Amino acid sequence: MAVGLEQRNRQQLAEQQARTAQQDEEKQELERLEEGQEVSAQQAELLQPQIGNAALANLLARAGGQSAGAASSHEEEVAEEIVESQDEEELQELEGEGPQYGGGGGGAGGAGGPNDPWDLGRLFGGDDEGGGAEGGGAAQPRLRASPIRELSDPFDEDPLPDEEEDSPYEPHHQQIDALLPAVAPLPSSPRRGDARFLTPELDLLDARAIAGLPLSPEELAHGDAALAPLARPLELARFLAAHGLSPTTRALARGIAGGASFFLLPSTGSSGAAARLATMVLAALAQEAESASQGDAPDELALATDRAARLALVREAWPLAVQTARELASTRRLRAPFIADAALAGRLDTSEQRPEPTMPPDSLGGRALASLLPVSPLLFIPPLASSPPPPLPEDDETAAIDALLAEWTGGADPRELPPDPVLEAEALEPALAAASDLVNAMGRAQVELAAGAIAAREVNPRAAVRQVLIHGDRALRLLARDAVQAGDALAELRGAPLLAAEALAAPRLRVLRQSVQGLEVLRTWAFGELATAAVGVRSVAAEPDSPPLAPLLGAALRQREGGDRVRGRQGLRAVALSTPPPDGPLPGLLAAFAALEAGDGPDAALLIDGALRLDRAGPLELAAASMRACLALGADLRVEAAAAVDRLEALARRRHTPLALADAAILRSELRLRQEGLEASVDGLVGQILEHGRAGEQAAMELLKARLTEQRAAHDEAAFDPAMERAIAAREGEAQATTAVQTAQRRSSPR
């Protein structure tokens, strides 16, 4: 063994010496290269670290041009020179290490901190040659794909371990799936009515994720992934409450987000709570669309509203963009197209749909995109700070002694004029620090644009974002170049005569202030374009931001908030019973939310009845009907609950709202359980499951399956399973009878 090891060592040493000799020979050949000599691929690989990408490309271009024909060679050389000149002009704009004029990288909002990828030294770099100690090599001039990254769910910040196998509901899920027959859905057809809003259904497509969730508002506030069926509607309600265009939508969403605990009815389980919250948030979305169209929303507007709401939920876009930028910062390629392409795993160059007209900045999509990003720091370019005057002596004797000492020690003669003041470094520090913050904000804007593009592609995979990023990146780098040059010019004024320095500093400060304005305009334009690309259609203008409260309602709410609950209650009742029809059901709904917060359930029920007396079929009535049925069932008022559920089901069918139908079915099953027993409750759920399954309404079907699972877990399995089998057999018998009647009718009809 020792002999074999020694032989291998001698062989490896000989191979290493041979490679060294070959490399020395190749280097000698490179030293003998002359202009016009042809370069091979191996020689080019050895030349690259020494002369850089640009020079190597020129050398290869010249070599290839000499080997070609005369006519084609001239054309190729002209084209290559044009491309190279364009690349060099673009890449040499900001080729330095970034501004070094002081002020640090600090700033409001954490801009330019040591952990931020947009710190000053990393902002500028493009497709220039490597050579830097940090780069370690030459950067390629085109976008490169990186490992695939999937956007994580907004509620995956603290993912829970997978406990599906140990879940106590899993055996019940399996039994429900085994008992229910396979349902063949109808051919896919265009959605209509409220079914066009898909965002509330995103987390309701699996019964296993819905059943058995805790109904604690404190746990829902954490936003865990396992609670997404209940937490996502609240997240969407908070977004609409803060950013909805319609005052009616904001008021309704604020009530939903603040009064969610009143809709978590324990007797209907987490499936009922999920159906109820989704129904009410869907009503808010529909109200937003119908408020903009002053009536039934067209399909394009409904799609735009739904996509804008979905855009507001892509909260992972900003952290992903920052993480990707941090990885690219070491290569000095902090540019929006590269960040977005790396985060999207090279999918930025995929086919894009035709760009739509630009959406106004105050559209719902623009507000959704802005809500995903942290608050931008406030940028202000201050004037030059005035130097403090020298301290005055306390008395004349001290002044005389100071003058005498100055003359004896070689200082200025007190009889001579004092020297001209100069611009001190302390006077420049505020302006230079603001310039540093401005350049850092431009680097941060690159990451913001990339985050907007990531979110847009998550909502609309064909969103036209690439050109927006390219133009935004180019404009940001031009603005940054002007800001850097102005900052360098300011830094050079240290020690200059004060009057001359102030005159020279004025145009530099003006450039910096114009750069601040340009950055704001660019961000507004880019976010509007990205929101348009995500939503896919142009949004209409927002409603006037006027208070929707009637005078009587406002007075009643102020009395209640002031502690006069008796007079406040009387005022709320007056509002509910005397609101004129033009005001609609909104005042009564708002008063009902206020009554619920005060613990006055009977007053809330009375106010909701007043809101529903107009017999309309709008989104507000849908939300009010769901609230009324929940309150009646929670108070065990069975007659009122039955009437409220009938009203909710009728409104849901008129508006074609599958989620509201599922909500009504769950409430009715609980009511039947109390009045008629388990078999009647199960029979109603089975019938609705088969109906929604045949219609292809998966979210409604999964909600009802989750409710069946919760009922099986709460009751005796020996009684539940036979009841479910009988319900299924009855439905199959009805289906066979219907088929037989239809067949007989076809046979008897004349041909």
Side-chain angles (χ1 to χ4, degrees):
M1 294 178 62
V3 175
L5 180 60
E6 185 178 356
Q7 291 178 353
R8 284 196 300 270
N9 291 336
R10 285 199 300 268
Q11 183 179 1
Q12 292 176 358
L13 181 60
E15 292 175 356
Q16 183 177 1
Q17 292 175 351
R19 285 195 300 269
T20 303
Q22 183 180 0
Q23 291 175 358
D24 294 340
E25 183 179 355
E26 291 174 348
K27 290 180 180 179
Q28 292 176 2
E29 292 180 0
L30 292 178
E31 294 173 356
R32 293 193 296 269
L33 285 177
E34 298 178 358
E35 184 177 1
Q37 185 174 348
E38 196 169 312
V39 181
S40 64
Q42 291 80 6
Q43 292 172 337
E45 183 178 359
L46 293 173
L47 279 173
Q48 188 269 339
Q50 302 178 26
I51 67 176
N53 282 344
L56 179 59
N58 293 333
L59 182 60
L60 290 175
R62 288 195 298 269
Q66 292 175 359
S67 62
S72 61
S73 172
H74 177 69
E75 295 177 357
E76 291 176 359
E77 288 178 0
V78 170
E80 288 169 353
E81 288 176 1
I82 293 175
V83 173
E84 290 166 4
S85 63
Q86 292 176 349
D87 290 341
E88 290 176 0
E89 289 176 0
E90 179 181 1
L91 301 174
Q92 290 176 359
E93 289 177 352
L94 301 171
E95 193 175 358
E97 287 290 335
Q100 303 290 337
Y101 40 78
N115 296 323
D116 293 329
W118 51 85
D119 196 7
L120 278 178
R122 303 171 178 173
L123 296 185
F124 314 121
D127 307 332
D128 54 311
E129 300 175 6
E134 195 175 67
Q140 297 299 324
R142 61 187 182 90
L143 301 179
R144 295 175 295 176
S146 65
I148 295 177
R149 292 182 186 169
E150 296 294 338
L151 279 179
S152 61
D153 191 271
F155 294 92
D156 280 344
E157 298 173 359
D158 185 16
L160 299 178
D162 188 8
E163 298 180 355
E164 185 174 302
E165 296 181 357
D166 299 331
S167 173
Y169 287 90
E170 182 58 28
H172 304 290
H173 285 300
Q174 295 177 359
Q175 184 65 17
I176 295 296
D177 292 338
L179 292 176
L180 283 174
V183 180
L186 294 176
S188 58
S189 58
R191 287 180 170 242
R192 57 188 178 89
D194 291 340
R196 296 173 297 177
F197 300 97
L198 300 177
T199 302
E201 301 181 3
L202 292 177
D203 295 283
L204 305 177
L205 302 178
D206 185 6
R208 285 173 168 78
I210 302 171
L213 299 179
L215 299 180
S216 172
E218 291 78 11
E219 295 188 26
L220 294 181
H222 297 314
D224 292 333
L227 303 179
L230 299 177
R232 195 185 296 268
L234 298 180
E235 178 75 14
L236 189 54
R238 286 190 288 268
F239 163 71
L240 292 175
H243 303 287
L245 301 181
S246 166
T248 305
T249 302
R250 294 198 299 271
L252 176 60
R254 194 175 299 115
I256 296 171
S261 59
F262 303 105
F263 313 131
L264 306 178
L265 198 59
S267 59
T268 59
S270 59
S271 57
R276 203 161 303 118
L277 290 174
T279 297
M280 300 194 71
V281 170
L282 187 145
L285 285 176
Q287 179 63 42
E288 176 75 7
E290 294 185 12
S291 296
S293 60
Q294 301 297 326
D296 293 338
D299 290 341
E300 287 190 354
L301 186 55
L303 176 63
T305 305
D306 181 64
R307 282 184 173 175
R310 199 181 314 174
L311 185 64
L313 298 177
V314 191
R315 293 188 297 151
E316 190 68 16
W318 172 250
L320 178 58
V322 173
Q323 177 186 353
T324 307
R326 188 170 288 115
E327 296 172 359
L328 295 178
S330 60
T331 62
R332 296 175 56 212
R333 299 174 69 81
L334 189 69
R335 298 168 58 180
F338 295 106
I339 298 171
D341 186 69
L344 294 172
R347 290 183 282 118
L348 187 61
D349 286 326
T350 55
S351 60
E352 297 181 345
Q353 63 186 11
R354 180 179 60 86
E356 298 289 341
T358 304
M359 184 177 295
D362 62 342
S363 66
L364 188 64
R367 295 184 181 188
L369 196 59
S371 69
L372 299 177
L373 307 175
V375 178
S376 299
L378 180 63
L379 299 175
F380 172 71
I381 306 299
L384 296 181
S386 58
S387 301
L392 297 176
E394 298 180 357
D395 49 35
D396 296 339
E397 295 180 358
T398 304
I401 295 174
D402 290 342
L404 185 61
L405 289 175
E407 183 178 2
W408 287 352
T409 56
D413 191 340
R415 292 166 296 186
E416 296 179 357
L417 294 176
D420 294 334
V422 297
L423 184 63
E424 302 292 342
E426 292 78 6
L428 281 172
E429 283 183 2
L432 294 181
S436 298
D437 292 342
L438 173 59
V439 179
N440 284 332
M442 294 174 182
R444 175 193 174 100
Q446 295 272 14
V447 186
E448 291 175 341
L449 296 186
I454 294 168
R457 279 293 181 89
E458 178 70 10
V459 173
N460 183 6
R462 296 185 59 220
V465 300
R466 186 172 182 274
Q467 290 301 321
V468 179
L469 296 182
I470 292 176
H471 291 307
D473 164 58
R474 187 174 302 167
L476 282 171
R477 288 188 290 124
L478 290 175
L479 288 173
R481 181 192 62 184
D482 294 341
V484 170
Q485 292 176 352
D488 289 339
L490 281 177
E492 293 174 356
L493 297 178
R494 292 190 184 99
L498 183 60
L499 294 178
E502 290 178 346
L504 293 174
R508 276 74 172 180
L509 294 174
R510 190 181 309 115
V511 170
L512 291 176
R513 295 187 180 104
Q514 292 174 352
S515 298
V516 172
Q517 297 176 356
L519 176 61
E520 293 301 322
V521 172
L522 177 62
R523 291 179 75 255
T524 301
W525 168 83
F527 289 154
E529 291 286 343
L530 292 174
T532 303
V535 171
V537 294
R538 183 178 175 85
S539 175
V540 298
E543 288 186 16
D545 193 5
S546 58
L549 300 180
L552 287 176
L553 175 61
L557 291 179
R558 285 193 296 271
Q559 289 172 351
R560 179 180 288 273
E561 292 174 358
D564 191 352
R565 299 185 59 185
V566 176
R567 296 184 61 184
R569 183 182 306 171
Q570 294 174 353
L572 290 177
R573 288 180 176 176
V575 169
L577 298 176
S578 64
T579 300
D583 286 347
L586 179 62
L589 268 182
L590 297 182
F593 281 122
L596 286 176
E597 292 176 2
D600 294 335
D603 277 352
L606 178 64
L607 292 164
I608 294 174
D609 288 336
L612 290 171
R613 79 182 191 279
L614 300 177
D615 194 23
R616 297 176 179 175
L620 294 177
E621 284 78 7
L622 185 68
S626 180
M627 288 176 59
R628 186 66 179 92
C630 176
L631 291 176
L633 189 61
D636 201 18
L637 302 175
R638 301 182 182 181
V639 177
E640 294 183 11
V645 171
D646 291 340
R647 181 185 296 163
L648 174 60
E649 184 176 355
L651 282 173
R653 293 194 182 278
R654 289 176 63 182
R655 296 187 56 84
H656 194 73
T657 315
L659 292 177
L661 287 174
D663 184 19
I666 293 174
L667 291 168
R668 191 182 300 279
S669 70
E670 178 61 24
L671 189 60
R672 286 183 175 179
L673 180 64
R674 299 179 185 182
Q675 293 178 336
E676 306 174 36
L678 179 62
E679 187 160 348
S681 176
V682 171
D683 180 76
L685 288 174
V686 169
Q688 290 294 316
I689 288 174
L690 298 178
E691 179 181 344
H692 288 294
R694 286 190 294 267
E697 297 162 350
Q698 184 180 356
M701 183 180 65
E702 295 296 327
L703 282 167
L704 297 177
K705 287 174 63 177
R707 184 57 192 153
L708 270 182
T709 302
E710 291 173 341
Q711 282 194 351
R712 189 176 189 275
H715 293 85
D716 185 11
E717 300 174 8
F720 182 90
D721 292 347
M724 186 171 174
E725 292 173 357
R726 286 191 293 271
I728 294 173
R731 302 297 172 181
E732 292 177 348
E734 292 175 0
Q736 293 175 0
T738 303
T739 304
V741 170
Q742 293 175 351
T743 303
Q745 290 177 350
R746 286 196 300 268
R747 290 178 179 178
S748 61
S749 60
R751 295 183 180 179

